[in-house]
Structures are given as structure tokens and as C-alpha cells.
Amino acid sequence: MTRKPRERKKIRILVAKPGLDGHDRGILVLARAFRDAGMEVIYSGLLPTPEQVARMAVDEDVDVVALSLLNGAHMTAFPRVKKLLGKMGGGEILVVGGGIIPEDDKPKLLKLGITGLYGPGTSLEEIIAHVKDRVRKERWKER
Amino acid sequence: MLRGDGGEDYWKRRVGKVIAKRKAAGPLYDEKAIRDLRQGVKQWERVLEAWSKGKAERKVFQTASAIPLKPLYTPADVKDLDYSETGFPGVYPYLRGVYPDMYRGRPWTMRMFSGFGTPEDTNRRLKLLLQRGETGLSIAFDMPTLYGYDCDHQKAHGEVGRCGVNVSSLKDMEAIFDGVPLDEVSTSMTINAPAAVLTCMYAAVGKKSGVPPAKLRGTVQADMLKEYIAQKEWVYPPEAHLRIMRDLMVFCTKEMPLWNYISISGYHIREAGSSAIQELAFTLADGFGYVELGKEAGLHVDEFAPRLSFFFNSTMDFFEEIAKFRAARRIWATVLREKYGAKDPRSLLMRFHTQTSGASLTWQQPLNNIVRTTIEALAGVLGGTQSLHTNSFDEAWALPTEKAVEVALRTQQIIAEETGVSSVVDPLGGSYYVEWLTEQMEEEAYKYFDRIESAGGILKAITSGYLQREIAENSYRLSKRAESGEDSVVGVNKYSVEEEEKPIETLKIDFKAQRRQIQRLKQVKKSRDSAKVRAALDKIARAYESERENSIYPMLEAVTAYGTLGEIIEVGRSAFGEWKEPIFL
């Protein structure tokens, strides 16, 4: 039986915490939620450098990288991952982020194409919908 | 508990005892009266049924740990109650409190955690808190410090001073405590992997200001087991950190008798998503592990157990939290006496610090967090805590502003001085529900101890990922319950408003902190006697090679000579390697 191409597609997502941050509750919940939503989930493990995260994303050929930081270093680490993805030939890989992100920081991150920026307590459904939506539109060019 | 008990089966027997006791009739209630009461309850249930008829079943009632709840508790639920096992406050088994007068003599210590940016920023915040009547200091460190990197390390880039104060050398500690009377305050430092180094630095600051180590009062968290279980701030593999902790236990027993060198922490286990039962069980299991570690070091349990203290979370399920605190005290006293042979009453009483739950705070409608924190703080107080940190309402947004910290401190002062809850010891003791729930928590905790022991002890349960997986599963369960609306979160999945204006001012961290810290570190390295530092670092390396030497003495030498945190931690990296967590997804 032949399937429509779209049905063969499964979102591949890397969930990662770049830098020195062990607060992994949120990212572990998200990893499970993404998996239950039918995505292929790869987890970076704790304490990778932004370089290691970007390398993993490119090597694993993911559609999207989901970053989480609760230690206040997002303005350094998130843009760094994004920039390195471009350098390593993964410029088309989408980047979403979340954690403790003050309002003032959000416009700067959004401008770099790092979206989502959800805080604690955001509904899992909302985050999943955002990831699916971006992947369909920007990676799979669906309307 | 640390490495498995070789089939001793202590926990199995304990579980058996608790279950058997709960089934038996106790001496307080007359058996006939209980039988009559049961009839009465049955009749009342018919009244309840008639009353509820036609009303849709609202929800399934259970505690946050999923213990099913009846609508009403009566003496029939606690018929086994034996007052000799409840006892009096300040008397074994300490269920009702660790001191005879509890808050009548003196309220709990109001200890607010703070620290950000440069040592000077933190010094100003500490002095402000002292001025406002806070009675104990508590310092938060930034991520590079917590992971043992100096501020000029590549991995520290962007993280210096972000979520705590940065300490790279003794110079920074001198600046933090400049003008703070170390002989009058007690200082709690939330530091784990590098706790021994920070203890040495505090001792060195004390010495310089004329306060000998033996007079210094305070606490370092230094609880590495919970790092592997929950907070995930480690450097070396577990055995290596345990060895350094053992050295620190021995060093402090001799040189710093007033220093609490471990604060056995459930806080992070809870924040990582565990249930109250898991927090209780895993934390006490860690505690038993440290008792075994001290015994391995050749100390008698009564030499060190009086210095062990605990740190718990207090979150929103009010009665379950109170029951958790009460159960914890009785379990600790019972096991220390029964299994570990402690005789000194100070070994048996569990002193603990409580912090309200950061994870319970919401970024939506942040002022609601003041109310949450108040309820959680009250549970800590009714649970008999020795000290308390109340979170600030803006902490789901950023580090707290001074205004928000003040409200949080005032919350405690209002509870202590306006409500009257300090007037009577353990005021909820005797509540059928609270006593029943206390016994329930106790039984569940003992069952977990048995499971951990069967898994080969706490170290095996960590390296296999068993404990981490248990927490991750509970955390996912809670997230799904919030998602489905089974658990209400006001302002988030209920009573939320569509467009929220940005309602609060948040604290901005000075990005200059990193530059200033790096500059100071450069100066330190230029002006110190490098040969002296090198010699001290070599001594630490030699101590690590020999099981018999205590590594803390050369560490103190190294910090005094302005050897940096990063340099000292690096010695261990070369000796022990780094830790990679097992995958438990």
C-alpha cells in the first residue's frame, strides 16, 4: 500500500540543555510529551556545550531543536546554538526554546528565529502544536 | 542502604511491623467504642449518599501523591494510635517536634536565600537582609561556581553571576562577607560538588577576621547523592564525591564542630517532579547512606549524626506536607536508634530547613504566588520546621527584586507574629486525618526503603537510573494531570485571562559581572605566591591517591594561598574523571 508522502513523515526533534544547567524536569517532561505526540525524540543528556548540541542536531538530521534553560544563560546559549547550526550546515534546522525567559529578552530571541519561549506551566499541547506547526510550514513546506 | 545490606532485611521487617501495628487496636480507644463508631460511620455514609444524590461526582479525591482519600476521618482510622509512639515534643521519637517548647521559646529562623552578580552585589543584599531582621544568611551561587569552573573558563561564558554569586577564589569570599560579623551570624551555603572548597574558604575568611574555625556556624549543602538523583550538579563519579564528603565529615568533626557539613536535601528531589512520598523516602534513604558513610570513616554514629540536618520542600497539598514532616521525624529517630545504634538524643532528632516550592509558582498572574507561598510556609511551620525560606512572587520570571524579597520575608513575620500558630506545639497533632496521613506516609516510605535496598542500595539505584526514572515518571504524571485539568492551577488552567499585560518589574542582572570577576581573578593570580599554590595543589592530588589521607587539610592550604576553585576542582578531575549520567528516558 502506498502512503501519501506526508504520512511517512515523523518529526525528529532534539531536546537539549546547552551549558551548565541541571534543571531537567521540564525537558524530561517535554521529551515524553513529544514522544507520545508521535515524534522521534533525541535527548542530549546533561551539560553539553552549544557546540555539542549543534553537532548532534546536524548529525542526527533533526527537523527541530528544542532548548530549555532555567539558569539565566539563555541570551548567550540559545543564539550560540542557532549560529553554530548555520556554520555546521544545519541552517534549516528550526530552533525553539523555553525556560525562565524574561519578557525583555523575548524580542531579541524571536528576531533570531528562536520561537516558543514558553515559561513553566505552559500547556504541553500548546508547545507540541507550535513545534508541529513550524515543522509543517517551514520544513515540509505544507500550507 | 548505601551499598546494599547483604540480605539483612531490616526494611522488610520494619514494613511488616508498621502494617501489623496499623491493623491492631491501640490502647487509646476502647474496642467496643470503635465498633459502635464503625456502625455510626456506616449510617453517616447513607446520609452522605442521600445528600450527594443527583449531584454529579465532582472528582476523585486523592492527595498529590495519589493516596486515595475518604470524605471523613474518625477515631476508627487511627484506632491503633499508641501515644507512647507519638510521644512529646523534644522527646523520642520526636513526631511532634524536636524541641519541647518549639516556637514558644524562639520562632523558626527566617533564612532567605540570596546571591547574584558580583560578590559586592551579594554583600549589599546580605547586609540589607540583616538590617531588616533576618536571622540567618543563605547564599546562592552561580552555575560556574556550582560546577567548579572559574569565571574565566570557556564553559562559564554567559553564566557568571546569572543565578547566584560567583566565587572563583578566596578574594571573592572576602568581598561577600566584608563587614559581616561571622561570629554572630550563621551562614548557609547552597553548594554541593565544591562544598569542601567553599567550607575551606569560609574557614579562611573567618581566620583572617579573627574568628577561629571552631566558632563558625553554618551549613553547606554538600549532599551529593541528591545531585545524582535530582539536581544534577556534579563533577566526579559518585564514589569520588562520597570520598571527599567523608573527608569533610572527619575534618569538621575535629576542626569545625559547629559546622553542618551536610544538609540532606529533599527539596530538589521534589522540585524535579517527585511526589511527597518519594521526597520523604529518597531523602531519608540518602540520610541513612551518609550515616553508613560516617561509620565507614571510622566515626561513631553519635560523633557525627547530631550535625546532620535536613532540607525539605513545602508545596501546595497542605495536609500531605504536614504529614510528611511529622513522619520524617519519627522515621529518622526510629531507624537511627534501631538500625544504627545511636544513643545520643541529638543524633535522633531531625532538624530541618524548609523552602516553599519554586515549581509551584506560575509566571501567569504572579501576585497569586504570594498566596501560594503563604500556604506552603504555613505547612512548613505546622510541620515543625527549624528554619524557612519563602520564595518571592516574581521568581517564575527572574531572580527576585528587593521588593519581592521583602514581601516574602514579611509573609513569615506575619505567620510568626500575627496568627498565633506559634503558641501551641504541633497544633494539628490528634487530628484524625493528619494522624492517619502521617502513618500512611510512614508506611509508604518504609516500602520504598525496602525497594531501594532490594535494588542494591542507593548507589546502585542511582547508577541504574532507577530513582531518576521514578521521579521523571511522577513528574510526567503531574504534567498530564495539570494538562487535563484534573489538578487545578489557578491562573494557568483555570481562571486564566487571555491577554496579560506585563505586570511586574523584574531584577536585571548586570552583564558586567563577568568582566569584573575575570579582572579580579587575573589580579589574584598575579599577586599570589604561585609556588605555594602549586605545592598545595600537589598535596591534594597526593591525598586523593591515598585512602588514608584527608584531602581537606591541603585544600585549606590551597585556598589560603589563593588557589582558585577551578584549580582545586581540576585536581579531582584528573584523579577521578567526570560523571556521565545513565540514560533513563
PDB file of all heavy atoms in Angstrom, chain B residues 104-132:
ATOM      1  N   ARG B 104       7.521  28.621  70.949  1.00  0.00           N
ATOM      2  CA  ARG B 104       7.265  29.471  72.115  1.00  0.00           C
ATOM      3  C   ARG B 104       8.566  30.106  72.573  1.00  0.00           C
ATOM      4  O   ARG B 104       8.618  31.279  72.937  1.00  0.00           O
ATOM      5  CB  ARG B 104       6.714  28.638  73.259  1.00  0.00           C
ATOM      6  CG  ARG B 104       5.279  28.312  73.093  1.00  0.00           C
ATOM      7  CD  ARG B 104       4.762  27.692  74.380  1.00  0.00           C
ATOM      8  NE  ARG B 104       3.327  27.887  74.469  1.00  0.00           N
ATOM      9  CZ  ARG B 104       2.672  28.019  75.602  1.00  0.00           C
ATOM     10  NH1 ARG B 104       3.308  27.979  76.747  1.00  0.00           N
ATOM     11  NH2 ARG B 104       1.377  28.185  75.587  1.00  0.00           N
ATOM     12  N   GLY B 105       9.626  29.299  72.571  1.00  0.00           N
ATOM     13  CA  GLY B 105      10.913  29.801  73.032  1.00  0.00           C
ATOM     14  C   GLY B 105      11.478  30.798  72.034  1.00  0.00           C
ATOM     15  O   GLY B 105      11.952  31.875  72.387  1.00  0.00           O
ATOM     16  N   ARG B 106      11.413  30.433  70.770  1.00  0.00           N
ATOM     17  CA  ARG B 106      12.027  31.247  69.730  1.00  0.00           C
ATOM     18  C   ARG B 106      11.391  30.819  68.415  1.00  0.00           C
ATOM     19  O   ARG B 106      11.243  29.621  68.167  1.00  0.00           O
ATOM     20  CB  ARG B 106      13.529  30.927  69.696  1.00  0.00           C
ATOM     21  CG  ARG B 106      14.390  31.838  68.850  1.00  0.00           C
ATOM     22  CD  ARG B 106      15.887  31.472  69.045  1.00  0.00           C
ATOM     23  NE  ARG B 106      16.212  30.173  68.465  1.00  0.00           N
ATOM     24  CZ  ARG B 106      16.534  29.994  67.185  1.00  0.00           C
ATOM     25  NH1 ARG B 106      16.573  31.002  66.356  1.00  0.00           N
ATOM     26  NH2 ARG B 106      16.809  28.781  66.736  1.00  0.00           N
ATOM     27  N   PRO B 107      10.980  31.765  67.583  1.00  0.00           N
ATOM     28  CA  PRO B 107      10.405  31.332  66.312  1.00  0.00           C
ATOM     29  C   PRO B 107      11.472  30.660  65.436  1.00  0.00           C
ATOM     30  O   PRO B 107      12.655  30.724  65.757  1.00  0.00           O
ATOM     31  CB  PRO B 107       9.906  32.628  65.678  1.00  0.00           C
ATOM     32  CG  PRO B 107      10.671  33.717  66.337  1.00  0.00           C
ATOM     33  CD  PRO B 107      11.020  33.233  67.711  1.00  0.00           C
ATOM     34  N   TRP B 108      11.036  30.039  64.373  1.00  0.00           N
ATOM     35  CA  TRP B 108      11.975  29.442  63.420  1.00  0.00           C
ATOM     36  C   TRP B 108      12.899  30.524  62.867  1.00  0.00           C
ATOM     37  O   TRP B 108      12.575  31.714  62.906  1.00  0.00           O
ATOM     38  CB  TRP B 108      11.206  28.754  62.284  1.00  0.00           C
ATOM     39  CG  TRP B 108      10.329  29.701  61.525  1.00  0.00           C
ATOM     40  CD1 TRP B 108      10.649  30.403  60.407  1.00  0.00           C
ATOM     41  CD2 TRP B 108       8.976  30.075  61.840  1.00  0.00           C
ATOM     42  NE1 TRP B 108       9.605  31.186  60.005  1.00  0.00           N
ATOM     43  CE2 TRP B 108       8.552  31.016  60.867  1.00  0.00           C
ATOM     44  CE3 TRP B 108       8.075  29.703  62.852  1.00  0.00           C
ATOM     45  CZ2 TRP B 108       7.296  31.578  60.878  1.00  0.00           C
ATOM     46  CZ3 TRP B 108       6.806  30.280  62.865  1.00  0.00           C
ATOM     47  CH2 TRP B 108       6.430  31.197  61.887  1.00  0.00           C
ATOM     48  N   THR B 109      14.036  30.090  62.341  1.00  0.00           N
ATOM     49  CA  THR B 109      14.968  31.031  61.723  1.00  0.00           C
ATOM     50  C   THR B 109      14.439  31.419  60.344  1.00  0.00           C
ATOM     51  O   THR B 109      14.122  30.544  59.540  1.00  0.00           O
ATOM     52  CB  THR B 109      16.352  30.376  61.567  1.00  0.00           C
ATOM     53  OG1 THR B 109      16.791  29.962  62.862  1.00  0.00           O
ATOM     54  CG2 THR B 109      17.367  31.349  60.995  1.00  0.00           C
ATOM     55  N   MET B 110      14.331  32.708  60.105  1.00  0.00           N
ATOM     56  CA  MET B 110      13.857  33.159  58.797  1.00  0.00           C
ATOM     57  C   MET B 110      15.080  33.357  57.922  1.00  0.00           C
ATOM     58  O   MET B 110      15.835  34.299  58.088  1.00  0.00           O
ATOM     59  CB  MET B 110      13.057  34.441  58.957  1.00  0.00           C
ATOM     60  CG  MET B 110      11.860  34.194  59.843  1.00  0.00           C
ATOM     61  SD  MET B 110      10.908  35.660  60.163  1.00  0.00           S
ATOM     62  CE  MET B 110       9.837  35.041  61.473  1.00  0.00           C
ATOM     63  N   ARG B 111      15.282  32.408  57.057  1.00  0.00           N
ATOM     64  CA  ARG B 111      16.535  32.370  56.319  1.00  0.00           C
ATOM     65  C   ARG B 111      16.229  32.534  54.841  1.00  0.00           C
ATOM     66  O   ARG B 111      15.689  31.647  54.203  1.00  0.00           O
ATOM     67  CB  ARG B 111      17.215  31.040  56.580  1.00  0.00           C
ATOM     68  CG  ARG B 111      18.679  31.007  56.239  1.00  0.00           C
ATOM     69  CD  ARG B 111      19.212  29.596  56.334  1.00  0.00           C
ATOM     70  NE  ARG B 111      19.475  29.117  57.691  1.00  0.00           N
ATOM     71  CZ  ARG B 111      20.541  29.466  58.407  1.00  0.00           C
ATOM     72  NH1 ARG B 111      21.428  30.297  57.943  1.00  0.00           N
ATOM     73  NH2 ARG B 111      20.731  28.965  59.607  1.00  0.00           N
ATOM     74  N   MET B 112      16.553  33.700  54.299  1.00  0.00           N
ATOM     75  CA  MET B 112      16.257  33.966  52.898  1.00  0.00           C
ATOM     76  C   MET B 112      17.518  33.781  52.061  1.00  0.00           C
ATOM     77  O   MET B 112      18.553  34.365  52.325  1.00  0.00           O
ATOM     78  CB  MET B 112      15.703  35.379  52.733  1.00  0.00           C
ATOM     79  CG  MET B 112      14.478  35.663  53.595  1.00  0.00           C
ATOM     80  SD  MET B 112      13.031  34.697  53.134  1.00  0.00           S
ATOM     81  CE  MET B 112      12.483  35.636  51.718  1.00  0.00           C
ATOM     82  N   PHE B 113      17.338  32.947  51.056  1.00  0.00           N
ATOM     83  CA  PHE B 113      18.383  32.579  50.125  1.00  0.00           C
ATOM     84  C   PHE B 113      18.660  33.774  49.222  1.00  0.00           C
ATOM     85  O   PHE B 113      17.737  34.355  48.666  1.00  0.00           O
ATOM     86  CB  PHE B 113      17.738  31.479  49.307  1.00  0.00           C
ATOM     87  CG  PHE B 113      18.590  30.680  48.412  1.00  0.00           C
ATOM     88  CD1 PHE B 113      19.863  30.280  48.768  1.00  0.00           C
ATOM     89  CD2 PHE B 113      18.078  30.266  47.186  1.00  0.00           C
ATOM     90  CE1 PHE B 113      20.599  29.480  47.925  1.00  0.00           C
ATOM     91  CE2 PHE B 113      18.815  29.456  46.349  1.00  0.00           C
ATOM     92  CZ  PHE B 113      20.075  29.063  46.717  1.00  0.00           C
ATOM     93  N   SER B 114      19.915  34.200  49.092  1.00  0.00           N
ATOM     94  CA  SER B 114      20.139  35.261  48.125  1.00  0.00           C
ATOM     95  C   SER B 114      21.558  35.209  47.600  1.00  0.00           C
ATOM     96  O   SER B 114      22.436  34.606  48.190  1.00  0.00           O
ATOM     97  CB  SER B 114      19.847  36.619  48.735  1.00  0.00           C
ATOM     98  OG  SER B 114      20.796  36.919  49.714  1.00  0.00           O
ATOM     99  N   GLY B 115      21.748  35.894  46.519  1.00  0.00           N
ATOM    100  CA  GLY B 115      23.066  35.894  45.916  1.00  0.00           C
ATOM    101  C   GLY B 115      22.929  36.117  44.435  1.00  0.00           C
ATOM    102  O   GLY B 115      22.129  35.475  43.776  1.00  0.00           O
ATOM    103  N   PHE B 116      23.642  37.111  43.923  1.00  0.00           N
ATOM    104  CA  PHE B 116      23.637  37.321  42.477  1.00  0.00           C
ATOM    105  C   PHE B 116      24.793  38.233  42.114  1.00  0.00           C
ATOM    106  O   PHE B 116      25.341  38.950  42.954  1.00  0.00           O
ATOM    107  CB  PHE B 116      22.313  37.949  42.016  1.00  0.00           C
ATOM    108  CG  PHE B 116      22.005  39.284  42.644  1.00  0.00           C
ATOM    109  CD1 PHE B 116      22.398  40.459  42.026  1.00  0.00           C
ATOM    110  CD2 PHE B 116      21.360  39.356  43.862  1.00  0.00           C
ATOM    111  CE1 PHE B 116      22.112  41.689  42.613  1.00  0.00           C
ATOM    112  CE2 PHE B 116      21.081  40.583  44.458  1.00  0.00           C
ATOM    113  CZ  PHE B 116      21.463  41.745  43.826  1.00  0.00           C
ATOM    114  N   GLY B 117      25.134  38.212  40.845  1.00  0.00           N
ATOM    115  CA  GLY B 117      26.119  39.142  40.300  1.00  0.00           C
ATOM    116  C   GLY B 117      27.488  38.997  40.926  1.00  0.00           C
ATOM    117  O   GLY B 117      28.001  37.896  41.104  1.00  0.00           O
ATOM    118  N   THR B 118      28.051  40.126  41.306  1.00  0.00           N
ATOM    119  CA  THR B 118      29.398  40.101  41.881  1.00  0.00           C
ATOM    120  C   THR B 118      29.292  39.909  43.390  1.00  0.00           C
ATOM    121  O   THR B 118      28.240  40.125  43.984  1.00  0.00           O
ATOM    122  CB  THR B 118      30.125  41.429  41.627  1.00  0.00           C
ATOM    123  OG1 THR B 118      29.397  42.467  42.302  1.00  0.00           O
ATOM    124  CG2 THR B 118      30.214  41.753  40.146  1.00  0.00           C
ATOM    125  N   PRO B 119      30.402  39.535  44.021  1.00  0.00           N
ATOM    126  CA  PRO B 119      30.419  39.437  45.478  1.00  0.00           C
ATOM    127  C   PRO B 119      29.954  40.732  46.153  1.00  0.00           C
ATOM    128  O   PRO B 119      29.282  40.682  47.179  1.00  0.00           O
ATOM    129  CB  PRO B 119      31.892  39.157  45.775  1.00  0.00           C
ATOM    130  CG  PRO B 119      32.348  38.383  44.587  1.00  0.00           C
ATOM    131  CD  PRO B 119      31.647  39.017  43.424  1.00  0.00           C
ATOM    132  N   GLU B 120      30.260  41.876  45.568  1.00  0.00           N
ATOM    133  CA  GLU B 120      29.833  43.153  46.165  1.00  0.00           C
ATOM    134  C   GLU B 120      28.311  43.297  46.130  1.00  0.00           C
ATOM    135  O   GLU B 120      27.707  43.762  47.090  1.00  0.00           O
ATOM    136  CB  GLU B 120      30.490  44.353  45.447  1.00  0.00           C
ATOM    137  CG  GLU B 120      31.970  44.562  45.768  1.00  0.00           C
ATOM    138  CD  GLU B 120      32.886  43.549  45.076  1.00  0.00           C
ATOM    139  OE1 GLU B 120      32.415  42.813  44.174  1.00  0.00           O
ATOM    140  OE2 GLU B 120      34.073  43.477  45.441  1.00  0.00           O
ATOM    141  N   ASP B 121      27.687  42.898  45.020  1.00  0.00           N
ATOM    142  CA  ASP B 121      26.219  42.930  44.934  1.00  0.00           C
ATOM    143  C   ASP B 121      25.611  42.092  46.057  1.00  0.00           C
ATOM    144  O   ASP B 121      24.666  42.494  46.728  1.00  0.00           O
ATOM    145  CB  ASP B 121      25.726  42.337  43.591  1.00  0.00           C
ATOM    146  CG  ASP B 121      26.160  43.171  42.386  1.00  0.00           C
ATOM    147  OD1 ASP B 121      26.295  44.395  42.531  1.00  0.00           O
ATOM    148  OD2 ASP B 121      26.357  42.578  41.295  1.00  0.00           O
ATOM    149  N   THR B 122      26.149  40.892  46.222  1.00  0.00           N
ATOM    150  CA  THR B 122      25.614  39.976  47.233  1.00  0.00           C
ATOM    151  C   THR B 122      25.872  40.507  48.641  1.00  0.00           C
ATOM    152  O   THR B 122      25.012  40.405  49.515  1.00  0.00           O
ATOM    153  CB  THR B 122      26.225  38.569  47.051  1.00  0.00           C
ATOM    154  OG1 THR B 122      25.765  38.065  45.804  1.00  0.00           O
ATOM    155  CG2 THR B 122      25.814  37.627  48.151  1.00  0.00           C
ATOM    156  N   ASN B 123      27.045  41.093  48.847  1.00  0.00           N
ATOM    157  CA  ASN B 123      27.363  41.681  50.144  1.00  0.00           C
ATOM    158  C   ASN B 123      26.325  42.737  50.530  1.00  0.00           C
ATOM    159  O   ASN B 123      25.850  42.778  51.660  1.00  0.00           O
ATOM    160  CB  ASN B 123      28.773  42.295  50.078  1.00  0.00           C
ATOM    161  CG  ASN B 123      29.191  42.935  51.391  1.00  0.00           C
ATOM    162  OD1 ASN B 123      29.134  44.156  51.548  1.00  0.00           O
ATOM    163  ND2 ASN B 123      29.603  42.113  52.346  1.00  0.00           N
ATOM    164  N   ARG B 124      25.937  43.563  49.560  1.00  0.00           N
ATOM    165  CA  ARG B 124      24.932  44.597  49.834  1.00  0.00           C
ATOM    166  C   ARG B 124      23.586  43.957  50.197  1.00  0.00           C
ATOM    167  O   ARG B 124      22.923  44.380  51.130  1.00  0.00           O
ATOM    168  CB  ARG B 124      24.755  45.517  48.614  1.00  0.00           C
ATOM    169  CG  ARG B 124      25.684  46.729  48.627  1.00  0.00           C
ATOM    170  CD  ARG B 124      25.262  47.748  47.581  1.00  0.00           C
ATOM    171  NE  ARG B 124      25.304  47.206  46.231  1.00  0.00           N
ATOM    172  CZ  ARG B 124      26.433  47.134  45.505  1.00  0.00           C
ATOM    173  NH1 ARG B 124      27.577  47.576  45.987  1.00  0.00           N
ATOM    174  NH2 ARG B 124      26.416  46.621  44.286  1.00  0.00           N
ATOM    175  N   ARG B 125      23.190  42.908  49.446  1.00  0.00           N
ATOM    176  CA  ARG B 125      21.907  42.248  49.712  1.00  0.00           C
ATOM    177  C   ARG B 125      21.921  41.591  51.103  1.00  0.00           C
ATOM    178  O   ARG B 125      20.958  41.666  51.851  1.00  0.00           O
ATOM    179  CB  ARG B 125      21.615  41.224  48.612  1.00  0.00           C
ATOM    180  CG  ARG B 125      20.330  40.427  48.752  1.00  0.00           C
ATOM    181  CD  ARG B 125      19.038  41.223  48.595  1.00  0.00           C
ATOM    182  NE  ARG B 125      18.753  41.768  47.279  1.00  0.00           N
ATOM    183  CZ  ARG B 125      18.008  41.183  46.340  1.00  0.00           C
ATOM    184  NH1 ARG B 125      17.483  40.014  46.546  1.00  0.00           N
ATOM    185  NH2 ARG B 125      17.778  41.783  45.203  1.00  0.00           N
ATOM    186  N   LEU B 126      23.045  40.982  51.473  1.00  0.00           N
ATOM    187  CA  LEU B 126      23.133  40.331  52.784  1.00  0.00           C
ATOM    188  C   LEU B 126      22.986  41.349  53.906  1.00  0.00           C
ATOM    189  O   LEU B 126      22.284  41.131  54.890  1.00  0.00           O
ATOM    190  CB  LEU B 126      24.474  39.602  52.945  1.00  0.00           C
ATOM    191  CG  LEU B 126      24.706  38.356  52.096  1.00  0.00           C
ATOM    192  CD1 LEU B 126      26.057  37.742  52.422  1.00  0.00           C
ATOM    193  CD2 LEU B 126      23.600  37.329  52.292  1.00  0.00           C
ATOM    194  N   LYS B 127      23.667  42.471  53.756  1.00  0.00           N
ATOM    195  CA  LYS B 127      23.606  43.491  54.801  1.00  0.00           C
ATOM    196  C   LYS B 127      22.193  44.054  54.937  1.00  0.00           C
ATOM    197  O   LYS B 127      21.726  44.317  56.039  1.00  0.00           O
ATOM    198  CB  LYS B 127      24.604  44.615  54.501  1.00  0.00           C
ATOM    199  CG  LYS B 127      26.037  44.214  54.851  1.00  0.00           C
ATOM    200  CD  LYS B 127      26.981  45.355  54.559  1.00  0.00           C
ATOM    201  CE  LYS B 127      28.394  45.011  54.974  1.00  0.00           C
ATOM    202  NZ  LYS B 127      29.359  45.869  54.266  1.00  0.00           N
ATOM    203  N   LEU B 128      21.531  44.214  53.788  1.00  0.00           N
ATOM    204  CA  LEU B 128      20.154  44.700  53.801  1.00  0.00           C
ATOM    205  C   LEU B 128      19.252  43.726  54.570  1.00  0.00           C
ATOM    206  O   LEU B 128      18.436  44.128  55.397  1.00  0.00           O
ATOM    207  CB  LEU B 128      19.662  44.846  52.359  1.00  0.00           C
ATOM    208  CG  LEU B 128      18.261  45.401  52.187  1.00  0.00           C
ATOM    209  CD1 LEU B 128      18.300  46.922  52.261  1.00  0.00           C
ATOM    210  CD2 LEU B 128      17.663  44.970  50.850  1.00  0.00           C
ATOM    211  N   LEU B 129      19.443  42.435  54.312  1.00  0.00           N
ATOM    212  CA  LEU B 129      18.604  41.437  54.974  1.00  0.00           C
ATOM    213  C   LEU B 129      18.871  41.414  56.481  1.00  0.00           C
ATOM    214  O   LEU B 129      17.943  41.293  57.282  1.00  0.00           O
ATOM    215  CB  LEU B 129      18.843  40.059  54.357  1.00  0.00           C
ATOM    216  CG  LEU B 129      18.231  39.860  52.970  1.00  0.00           C
ATOM    217  CD1 LEU B 129      18.763  38.606  52.310  1.00  0.00           C
ATOM    218  CD2 LEU B 129      16.710  39.804  53.030  1.00  0.00           C
ATOM    219  N   LEU B 130      20.134  41.542  56.873  1.00  0.00           N
ATOM    220  CA  LEU B 130      20.465  41.574  58.305  1.00  0.00           C
ATOM    221  C   LEU B 130      19.786  42.758  58.979  1.00  0.00           C
ATOM    222  O   LEU B 130      19.245  42.657  60.078  1.00  0.00           O
ATOM    223  CB  LEU B 130      21.988  41.679  58.497  1.00  0.00           C
ATOM    224  CG  LEU B 130      22.801  40.406  58.270  1.00  0.00           C
ATOM    225  CD1 LEU B 130      24.287  40.701  58.308  1.00  0.00           C
ATOM    226  CD2 LEU B 130      22.435  39.330  59.292  1.00  0.00           C
ATOM    227  N   GLN B 131      19.825  43.888  58.262  1.00  0.00           N
ATOM    228  CA  GLN B 131      19.218  45.102  58.770  1.00  0.00           C
ATOM    229  C   GLN B 131      17.710  44.955  58.968  1.00  0.00           C
ATOM    230  O   GLN B 131      17.132  45.505  59.883  1.00  0.00           O
ATOM    231  CB  GLN B 131      19.456  46.176  57.712  1.00  0.00           C
ATOM    232  CG  GLN B 131      19.749  47.546  58.227  1.00  0.00           C
ATOM    233  CD  GLN B 131      20.071  48.426  57.013  1.00  0.00           C
ATOM    234  OE1 GLN B 131      19.348  48.430  56.021  1.00  0.00           O
ATOM    235  NE2 GLN B 131      21.167  49.160  57.084  1.00  0.00           N
ATOM    236  N   ARG B 132      17.082  44.163  58.068  1.00  0.00           N
ATOM    237  CA  ARG B 132      15.626  44.007  58.138  1.00  0.00           C
ATOM    238  C   ARG B 132      15.201  42.954  59.139  1.00  0.00           C
ATOM    239  O   ARG B 132      14.047  42.573  59.186  1.00  0.00           O
ATOM    240  CB  ARG B 132      15.082  43.622  56.770  1.00  0.00           C
ATOM    241  CG  ARG B 132      15.052  44.789  55.835  1.00  0.00           C
ATOM    242  CD  ARG B 132      14.214  44.461  54.634  1.00  0.00           C
ATOM    243  NE  ARG B 132      14.323  45.535  53.672  1.00  0.00           N
ATOM    244  CZ  ARG B 132      14.281  45.365  52.360  1.00  0.00           C
ATOM    245  NH1 ARG B 132      14.137  44.154  51.865  1.00  0.00           N
ATOM    246  NH2 ARG B 132      14.384  46.383  51.554  1.00  0.00           N
TER     247      ARG B 132
END
